[in-house]
Amino acid sequence: MSFFGFGQTAEIDIVLSDAETRKKAEHKTEDGKKDKYFLFYDGETVSGKVNVTLKTPGKRLEHNGIKIEFVGQIELYYDRGNHHEFVSLVKDLARPGELSQSQTFDFEFTHVEKPYESYTGQNVKLRYFLRATISRRLNDISKEMDIVVQTLCTYPEVNSSIKMEVGIEDCLHIEFEYNKSKYHLRDVIVGKIYFLLVRIKIKHMEIDIIKRETTGTGPSVYHENDTIAKYEIMDGAPVRGESIPIRLFLAGYELTPTMRDINKKFSVRYYLNLVLIDEEERRYFKQQEITLWRKGDIVRSMSQQATIATQRYEGSNSASAQAKEESN
Amino acid sequence: MSEATVADTRRLNSKPQDLTDAYGPPSNFLEIDVYDPQTIGVGRNRFTTYEVRMKTNLPIFKLKESCVRRRYSDFEWLKNELERDSKIVVPPLPGKALKRQLPFRGDEGIFEESFIEERRAGLEQFINRIAGHPLAQNERCLHMFLQEESIDRNYIPGKV
């Protein structure tokens, strides 16, 4: 911002050293638009150049120092003034002085810790960005560049299934089972609902994925529930002994990993809600939390994937054929 | 466990269903008909009663078949009892039609055939909706309404 055209001003441009090779990830902005940003993981070095271009050639730019920061911060929408910075690194690029011509400065933040995943939600935002600043007496010139951070996990060591019997005394007893308690973002929920007692007139059954974003602490806790998916698994009236299978592919839905108590500021948790609806539109439901995690990509060829799938199904076919023979 | 990109989507094992369960009568049989409206009495003291016939195999009902005569105010009584004693949101009854009870009408008022039919259908919908509610099935007033000859308005409210 220049005053009445006098004085010198400059444009700042931040360019990453691996801009050509680094992958970009899509991330939804606060107003719902999807944008692409450079993708980083925990521990990776963030390096590049800061280009300062003087607007008016020939004039000098006086400044009180040029620096670049790497910031990771949490912003609660109801408390916009206060940013909670959990990562804050600074590199000085130039001591106070003056620039007589456009100049480029190198920077490197080595092996930067990025403990949390980037998240833009209904009431809270967690973001990482580079910010280059030219300090001046009256007004600073600065430029921000957002990046996206994803947190990866490996297969959990313990991943027990969820199996429970629930119901209303003398009216409805079911046993539900989900094959795992921890699912990665492109996993499949495989399960079943087994009916033990059905004395109500059920019309259909669905399974919903609910995302709950919790912000605030103590008495001012706020939960925002959002139904991400509704998936009908049964249409019609079941009877005792009937088993309804569940196969729900998560890749089709917009999900994030489960985030628990991030920097003591917010949580994002996911629940499976099993809903039975009877002839009079009464709803009977059972909610169960699941943990979502992000798996790193392993690229296998199509033929390798086909081989794995075939072996699985052939194996199970021969096992069930054997069982039939034994029972006859 | 080896890391595989292809998810395992095979069904979980389940017990085979007993054939008597699969093809036998369902455990949720409950049918209530409201029909045969009869207007009894003369002049100003007339009122309409309806037959409420119930067939069920739910163990919570003492009688598997029952047949009683009820009038509109009996249905109102049931609605009030349930609203007071249970946590259920009770469905609405067909209208009271007070306008139809005013004098100097061109038609038969509340004894008009088309009105009685409309009311009958509404009462049938009401009683079926409420009788299938698991919480309503615990209330003594519902059992008395459906299965006892007459409604004792001095009964002791409570759960079955």
Side-chain angles (χ1 to χ4, degrees):
Chain A
M1 186 174 87
S2 58
F3 283 84
F4 310 111
F6 298 142
Q8 173 65 285
T9 186
E11 236 174 52
I12 306 178
D13 190 29
I14 306 172
V15 181
L16 295 177
S17 49
D18 51 8
E20 300 285 305
T21 50
R22 183 166 287 278
K23 278 217 196 97
K24 282 194 167 183
E26 252 184 32
H27 192 81
K28 213 163 44 138
T29 57
E30 222 179 294
D31 45 9
K33 276 194 310 191
K34 276 197 167 184
D35 259 329
K36 282 191 171 220
Y37 302 93
F38 284 110
L39 174 61
F40 282 85
Y41 299 107
D42 187 15
E44 285 192 298
T45 294
V46 184
S47 64
K49 297 184 191 302
V50 177
N51 299 323
V52 179
T53 313
L54 300 179
K55 282 299 240 325
T56 318
K59 280 226 185 102
R60 288 177 305 193
L61 177 75
E62 282 182 25
H63 65 86
N64 286 339
I66 306 179
K67 66 177 181 205
I68 183 157
E69 299 167 275
F70 180 85
V71 179
Q73 75 181 26
I74 296 171
E75 189 182 304
L76 293 156
Y77 296 172
Y78 62 77
D79 188 20
R80 295 267 187 185
N82 293 323
H83 294 164
H84 304 274
E85 290 181 1
F86 54 88
V87 174
S88 183
L89 305 169
V90 184
K91 290 263 190 270
D92 284 319
L93 299 175
R95 277 205 225 94
E98 59 183 38
L99 291 177
S100 49
Q101 57 187 27
S102 300
Q103 205 168 333
T104 295
F105 303 91
D106 290 319
F107 70 88
E108 182 179 292
F109 294 102
T110 324
H111 301 312
V112 185
E113 204 187 300
K114 305 175 205 73
Y116 312 118
E117 174 150 325
S118 295
Y119 175 75
T120 301
Q122 304 275 68
N123 300 293
V124 61
K125 187 159 67 168
L126 189 153
R127 60 187 271 247
Y128 294 86
F129 57 93
L130 287 161
R131 179 171 53 210
T133 311
I134 304 172
S135 303
R136 299 202 296 178
R137 192 169 52 90
L138 285 173
N139 57 312
D140 295 343
I141 306 169
S142 74
K143 182 82 193 285
E144 279 183 10
M145 187 180 105
D146 272 60
I147 59 156
V148 155
V149 171
Q150 287 178 353
T151 51
L152 300 180
C153 287
T154 50
Y155 276 90
E157 273 175 28
V158 178
N159 198 352
S160 48
S161 65
I162 301 171
K163 190 168 177 175
M164 238 184 255
E165 201 182 297
V166 292
I168 301 172
E169 185 109 17
D170 296 327
C171 276
L172 174 69
H173 287 182
I174 59 165
E175 187 190 74
F176 70 87
E177 187 177 343
Y178 305 129
N179 62 333
K180 301 182 205 175
S181 37
K182 300 174 188 156
Y183 292 94
H184 62 80
L185 300 184
R186 293 211 288 282
D187 215 333
V188 187
I189 298 175
V190 174
K192 70 179 209 286
I193 310 295
Y194 181 75
F195 287 90
L196 294 152
L197 179 71
V198 190
R199 292 211 180 113
I200 54 171
K201 294 181 187 172
I202 297 173
K203 200 163 58 156
H204 63 98
M205 178 164 67
E206 67 183 40
I207 198 160
D208 301 343
I209 302 176
I210 298 180
K211 170 180 162 187
R212 180 177 298 169
E213 184 191 277
T214 304
T215 45
T217 49
S220 61
V221 169
Y222 181 68
H223 300 290
E224 178 102 33
N225 290 332
D226 189 20
T227 305
I228 304 275
K230 273 179 190 248
Y231 190 72
E232 187 177 85
I233 56 172
M234 178 187 82
D235 183 19
V239 291
R240 175 170 56 206
E242 207 139 2
S243 227
I244 303 297
I246 299 169
R247 189 183 286 156
L248 179 53
F249 290 83
L250 294 176
Y253 303 106
E254 268 187 37
L255 301 167
T256 70
T258 293
M259 301 172 87
R260 287 207 176 89
D261 207 26
I262 299 303
N263 208 229
K264 300 202 206 305
K265 294 274 173 289
F266 72 95
S267 294
V268 181
R269 300 166 91 131
Y270 290 88
Y271 301 84
L272 288 180
N273 199 26
L274 180 73
V275 188
L276 291 96
I277 297 122
D278 73 9
E279 298 263 318
E280 303 294 345
E281 304 297 328
R282 285 181 284 258
R283 298 161 70 85
Y284 308 78
F285 62 90
K286 173 72 185 135
Q287 223 177 73
Q288 190 63 41
E289 184 174 3
I290 52 167
T291 303
L292 297 184
W293 54 281
R294 187 183 290 279
K295 186 163 75 95
D297 291 323
I298 303 169
V299 181
R300 273 182 212 258
S301 70
M302 289 291 278
S303 59
Q304 280 176 314
Q305 294 189 43
T307 310
I308 295 169
T310 318
Q311 282 170 349
R312 256 198 218 125
Y313 282 89
E314 275 176 4
S316 68
N317 277 346
S318 63
S320 66
Q322 220 177 19
K324 268 203 183 131
E325 270 188 34
E326 281 169 4
S327 69
N328 281 347
Chain B
M1 187 173 115
S2 63
E3 291 197 25
T5 338
V6 186
D8 190 350
T9 58
R10 288 172 295 180
R11 285 193 186 184
L12 298 181
N13 289 328
S14 52
K15 287 182 275 231
Q17 191 180 22
D18 195 306
L19 290 179
T20 44
D21 284 335
Y23 293 103
S27 325
N28 61 1
F29 180 63
L30 173 66
E31 252 167 48
I32 305 178
D33 292 309
V34 174
Y35 69 110
D36 188 27
Q38 300 286 351
T39 305
I40 49 188
V42 280
R44 292 254 209 92
N45 299 320
R46 280 180 296 171
F47 63 95
T48 310
T49 63
Y50 306 82
E51 191 161 303
V52 179
R53 184 163 56 182
M54 172 167 149
K55 287 200 188 119
T56 185
N57 66 359
L58 297 180
I60 196 153
F61 291 107
K62 277 214 207 86
L63 303 174
K64 298 307 149 208
E65 276 189 34
S66 67
C67 196
V68 293
R69 277 232 156 240
R70 297 283 179 253
R71 54 185 292 187
Y72 182 84
S73 54
D74 293 332
F75 283 83
E76 275 186 313
W77 170 87
L78 176 64
K79 180 172 199 278
N80 289 332
E81 292 298 296
L82 291 172
E83 271 171 352
R84 189 194 64 219
D85 288 341
S86 75
K87 299 194 197 105
I88 307 167
V89 174
V90 184
L93 277 172
K96 260 194 93 88
L98 290 167
K99 269 215 196 123
R100 281 185 176 261
Q101 291 178 50
L102 295 172
F104 309 121
R105 284 184 68 96
D107 61 15
E108 289 287 309
I110 55 167
F111 303 107
E112 186 69 31
E113 237 182 79
S114 57
F115 171 75
I116 288 180
E117 174 49 35
E118 224 180 83
R119 184 174 265 197
R120 184 209 65 76
L123 292 175
E124 192 172 76
Q125 191 180 64
F126 169 84
I127 193 64
N128 272 291
R129 224 189 249 187
I130 202 67
H133 197 304
L135 290 179
Q137 286 169 5
N138 289 336
E139 297 293 328
R140 214 181 285 159
C141 54
L142 179 72
H143 290 260
M144 187 159 73
F145 178 93
L146 287 171
Q147 306 207 309
E148 277 177 45
E149 182 80 36
S150 56
I151 294 175
D152 174 14
R153 287 176 188 230
N154 295 319
Y155 85 118
I156 303 160
K159 308 271 183 256
V160 159

